[in-house]
Amino acid sequence: MVRLVSGMTVTERQIALVVLLALSLIGLAMAAGGRGDPMGAQGFVVLVFSVGLAFAVMAGYYAPEPDESRLTRYYDDPTKVGIVLTVIWAVVGMAVGVWVASLLAWPELTFVDQAWASFGRLRPVHTSGVIFGFGGNALIATSFHVLQRTSRARLPDQFTPWFVLIGYNLFCIVAASGYLMGITQSKEYAEPEWYADIWLVIVWVVYFLLYLRTLARRKEPHIYVANWYYMAFILVVAVLHIVNNLAVPVSWGHAKSYSLFSGVQDAMTEWWYGHNAVAFFLTSGFLGMMYYYLPKRAGRPIFSYRLSIISFWGITFFYMWAGSHHLHYTALPQWVQTLGMSFSIMLLVPSWASAGNALATLNGAWHKVRDDAVLRFMMVAAVFYGLSTFEGSFMAIRPVNSLSHYTDWTVGHVHAGALGWVAMITFGSLYALVPWMWKRETMYSPKLIEVHFWLALAGTIVYVFAMWNSGIIQGLMWRTYNDGGTLAYSFLDSVEAMHPYYIARAFGGLLFLSGAVVCASNVWLTIRAAQRERRGETGTDVPIVAGAMQAGE
Amino acid sequence: MPEFFHRKIERNAIGFVLAIVGVASIGGFVEIAPLFTIHQTVEDAPDMRLYTPLELAGRNIYIREGCYACHSQMIRTLRDEVERYGPYSLAVESKYDHPMLWGSKRTGPDLARIGDKYSDAWHVRHMINPRDVVPESIMPRYGWLARNELRVDDLGEHLAAQRDVGVPYTQAMVDNATRDAYGQATPDSDAAAGVSERYGAATQVRAFDGDPSRVTEMDALVAYLQILGRLTEAPYKQQSTAAGE
Amino acid sequence: MDVGKQDTVTGRITTGHEWNGIEELETPIPRVVFLFLGAAFVFALICWVLYPTWPLIWTYSKGLLGFDQRATVTRQVEQAAADRSVWTTQVMDKSYTEIEADPALMHLVTETGRTLFIDKCAACHGVNATGGTGFPDLAAKAWLWGGEPETIEETIRIGINSTNADTRTSQMLAFGRDGMLQSGQIADVVAYVRSLSGLAPAEGDAARIEAGKQVFADNCTACHGEDAKGNKDVGAPDLTDANWLYGSDVQAVFTTVYSGRQGHMPNWGAKLPPLDIKILTLYVHSLKKVAP
Ligand code: HEM
Ligand code: HEM
Ligand SMILES: [Ca+2]
Ligand SMILES: [Ca+2]
Ligand SMILES: [Cu+2]
C-alpha cells in the first residue's frame, strides 16, 4: 500500500484524499437520506470503501515523493493492481456461476430461506461479476499497459489511472452488493440503479480523457489497432450506457428508479444496449487485448493491416444494427427485426476477418502454439471467437431464433463466447503480462499454466455441449406436435428433461472455475516470488531505454 | 487507396474518436427513433388500465427478486406459443411498463397471461415453496414475502415518479396511493371502496395472501401476478380466440 | 519512415510502423472476404426488398411479400385448427359415451388432454392428477360434485368459488373462529369424524367420540348428510372414505372445523374454448385410480 501511494506526488495524494473525502460524504448522505430504504445500506458500502481507502492513502502520505526519473518509466502500478483485481473477480464471479448452475440442478441447495441467497438475486451477481468485475478490470488493466507501450508514452499523471481503476471497482461492488439487497433496474447487463449508473459515467469520462491525454503524448505517429478497439470500447459503451440508463428516481433517498422509456421502445433500447455491450465490451475491448498480446507472444507481425481496417470498421458499423435479433417475433415491429437479422448476417464477415487475422498472424509460430500454453490460450480464444460469432449470426436468423430464443441454447452461445473467447484471451494475456509486470522470466509455474489450459478447455466444452443439447431439446419439446396436431409436451416435461444437462453444466463450470483458481494461485506465487527476489536486489524498476522496450517484453 | 485515407485518420486521435462515434450512432438511431414516430408501433387500446399502487409495488418485488431471470412476459407470434400460452403479446400491453419485463430466458413458463389462471391461495403456497404444489419445480422458495410487511408509505412518490416518465396517474391517485394499497388488500376496510372508484370496478380487491389483517409483500406480488395479461382486452379481441391446443 | 521490411516467413512487406516490437504486414485483403461480404450484402438486400425493413418516419417499407408476422401466425393457428377438425369436430359433436366407446378418438383425446392438463391443471392437481393438500385427487373418483362427464365439464367451466358469476360455491363453515362451537366440542367432533373412516383414534379420543357424534348430528349433517357420506349439491365431501382433501391428522381436521375451508377452483370457461374443456373432461374422466 505505502509503496503504491509513494508512486504519487504529494499533490496527487492530496487530490486523492479530497476525492475520497467527497466520496465518503456522498456515502454518508446516502446512508442518512436513504434510511428505511436499501439506499441507506448502499451508502454504508460507499462510506466504508472510501474511508478505508483514505486510511490507506494516509498511511503512505508521508512517504518520499517519487523523483523525476519516474517520467522515464512507464507507470504500471495501476495495471498490477488491476491484474490482481481481475483474478479475484474471476474466482468470485465464476464461483457464483457454479453456484447458480447448481441451484438450477438442485433447487433445494439454497441453505437459508433468505432473499439474498435466492437464484434471481445471485444470477446478476454472476453476470456482472464476470462481465464487469473480471472482464472490465482485465480491460482497464491491459489497456493501461498496451496504451503506454504502443504510444511510447507514460500515463499523463499518477492519480487519474487510480481514479479510473478504483472508481470502477467501487461501481462493481456497489452493483453486486446491491443485487443481494434486491436493488436492480432489471435491465439485463445494466442492472445497477441510477446513482451507480451516474458514478460510472463519471469514471468513464475520466477514463476516456486519460486515453486521449496519453495518446496526445504519444511518440508513435500512428495509433496502433489495439487502441482503435480500446477506444471504440470506451466510447461506445459510454453512449450505450447513458441512453439505456435514462431513468427517474423515486426520490433522492430511494434506490429505486423508473426507466424513461417503456414497453416496446424500452425493449429496443435495452437490446440495442445489451447486444452492443456484447459487441463493445466483450468483443471490441478483448480484440484490443488480442491485437497486442497475441502478436507479442507469437513474435510475429500482424497478418494484414488492411484486414484490420475493414474488420474494425465493419464491426463498429454493423454491430450497432443487430440488437433487434434479441426481439424476433415479439411485439417489436417486424421491420426492426428484419434489420437486425440482415445486419447480423453481414456482421459475420468482419468478425471472421478479425478471427482470421489473428489466426493467420500465428503463421510461422505454430510450433510455439504447440509448446506454449500461453499462446495456446490465445489461439483457442480466436477459434472460439470465430465459433461464437458464427453461431450468433446463425441464431439471428428469424426461424432459427424461433427455436433458440428463451432456451439454454442462448446460454450455450453466451458461454462459448464468454468462456471460450473472453476468458481464454484474458487468461492468455494475463500469463504473458504478469511476468513482464513483476519483472520475472516466466510465471512461477509454467506447469500450472498447462493444467489451467486443459481445465479451461474441458470445462468450456462440457458447458457448451450440455447447453447446446438442453437448449435444442427444450426448443424442440416446446414445439413438437402429436399426430392429432396438438402439443406433445407440457412445459413441465421440458423442465424435467433439463435436469441431466444442468448437472453436466455445473460440472463443466466447476472445471472452468478450478482452472481460474489455479491461475489465481499461480499469479499469487509469481508475485510473491518476485517480491522475494526484489528484496535481494536493488529495488528499482528497470528504466525505459530510448526504444521504450522493457526487459523480456 | 482507402488505406491511405486511413493512415491519415489513425494519426489523429480526435478525428478517430469522431469517426467511431459517427459510424456507431447510425444503427441505433435508425432503429430506435422511428419507434416513437410510427403510429402503428403501439396499438390502440382505450380500455388499457393502470397498475394500482399495490400492483405496482408487486411489480417492483417481481423485479427485486429477479423473477424475470427465469420468466418471460412476451408471447411470440409463433403457433406453439399462441397455442400454449394464449394470444400473442401486443406492444400496448407493456406501454406503461417502465421498464418492460419481456425477459430473455424461459427457465419457467411465460407469465404474460398468468392473471386469473390460478387462485390466490395457490400462488401463496407456490411462492412459499414451489415444490409443495409442484414437486417437479426448480423454482426457488420465497418465504420472506409472506413474512415481510409491505412498505406503503412511499407509494405516492412512486406514482409521482411514474407520472414523470409518462404514466397518466391522476393527482388523486398519487395522493391516495398508500390508502389504496392498503384498501386493495383489505376488502372489509373503508379504504377498499376508493380503489375501484379510482382504478375501475373490475379491480380485484381481496386479501391476496389470505390474511386481511396485514398487508404483506405477498399481497402485492400476488395482486400483480393476478393482473398480468388483464390490463386490456385488446389481445383477446384482436385475435380469433386461440383456437385450442 | 514508411519503408517496410520483408518478413522472412511469408515474404510479405511490413507497413513500416512498429509499436513496441509489433509490426504489421501489407497483406492484401484475401478475395474471399469480399466474396462473403458481397454474398452477405446480397442476402441482406433480398431481405430488405421482400420483408418490411426500412423506417420512413411515419411508416415503414412493407416489402414485396406483404409479409406480417401477426397475420402469418393467425393464419397458421387457424389452419392448424382446421387440420385438427377431422377429429375435433367429432369430439364436439359426439356424446361422451360415444367418444369413450371409440378407442381411436380416445387416443387422440388423451394425448392432447395430457399436455393440456399438465400445462393448465397440474399446478394444483399434480402431474398425475392425484392432487395434494387442498386440491382433490381426480383419479380417486371420490367426487365432491359428481363424476358424470357433464358434471365434471360444468365444474371445469364455471369453477368452484371462482370469479365467475355462475360459479359453484362451497363453504366449510368456520365453527370455531365464528364462535359456533367451543374448542372442546370441536375436539369431540374431530374425534368422531376421524373414527368414521376407521382412523386409529388419537390419545383421549375414545372418550370424545360419543359426545362428538351429537355435535355432528346437530351441526354437520345439513351438509355432510346423516350418514356423513357427503352431499354433491353443496360440494361437501364424504367423511367416511379414505380420501382427505386437507389431511386426516387431528391437527388438520381440527383446523378444518375451527377455521373452515373454501377451496378455489378457477373457472376455465373464460380461458379455454369449449373443445379444450371437453377434452379435459374426457381426460379427467378416463383417469384410472392410482394405487396409493
Ligand atoms: C465457471 C464458469 C461459469 C459458470 C458455471 C456459469 C454459469 C452460468 C449460469 C448457471 C447462468 C444462468 C443461466 C440461466 O439462467 O439459465 C449464467 C449466465 C450467464 N453467464 Fe455464466 N457461468 C460461468 C462463467 C461465465 C463467464 C466467464 C462469463 C463472462 C465473461 C459468463 C457470462 C454469463 C452471462 C452473460 C450470462 C447471462 C446469459 C443470458 O442471460 O442469456 N459466465 N452463467
Ligand atoms: C457476430 C457476432 C454475434 C452475433 C450475430 C450474435 C447473436 C446473438 C443472438 C442471435 C443471440 C440470442 C438472442 C436471443 O434469442 O435472445 C445472442 C445472445 C447473446 N450473445 Fe451473441 N452473438 C454474437 C457474438 C457474441 C459474442 C462474441 C459474445 C461474447 C461473449 C456474445 C454474447 C452473447 C450474450 C451474453 C447473449 C445473451 C443475451 C441475453 O441475455 O439474452 N455474442 N447473440
Ligand atoms: Ca443501470
Ligand atoms: Ca438473458
Ligand atoms: Cu445480440
Side-chain angles (χ1 to χ4, degrees), chain A residues 188-189 271 278 319 325-326 389 392-393 396 401 405 413-414 417, chain B residues 104:
Chain A
E188 267 187 278
Y189 316 116
W271 287 109
V278 166
Y319 250 115
H325 63 217
H326 292 260
T389 48
S393 297
N401 194 264
H405 187 60
H413 161 72
V414 170
Chain B
S104 67

Side-chain angles (χ1 to χ4, degrees), chain A residues 296 302-304 338 485-487, chain C residues 20 23 27 52 84 112 115 119:
Chain A
K296 200 78 207 174
I302 296 290
F303 168 68
S304 168
T338 314
T486 52
L487 292 167
Chain C
N20 201 24
E23 291 176 295
T27 318
R84 282 192 300 260
T112 305
T115 306
D119 274 343

Side-chain angles (χ1 to χ4, degrees), chain B residues 7 37 43 84 116 125, chain C residues 26 57 70 119 123 133 271:
Chain B
R7 290 214 164 119
T37 60
E43 309 80 4
R84 190 183 303 277
D116 209 26
R125 272 172 66 182
Chain C
E26 278 283 17
I57 308 190
R70 294 182 168 180
D119 274 343
T133 312
K271 287 164 292 235

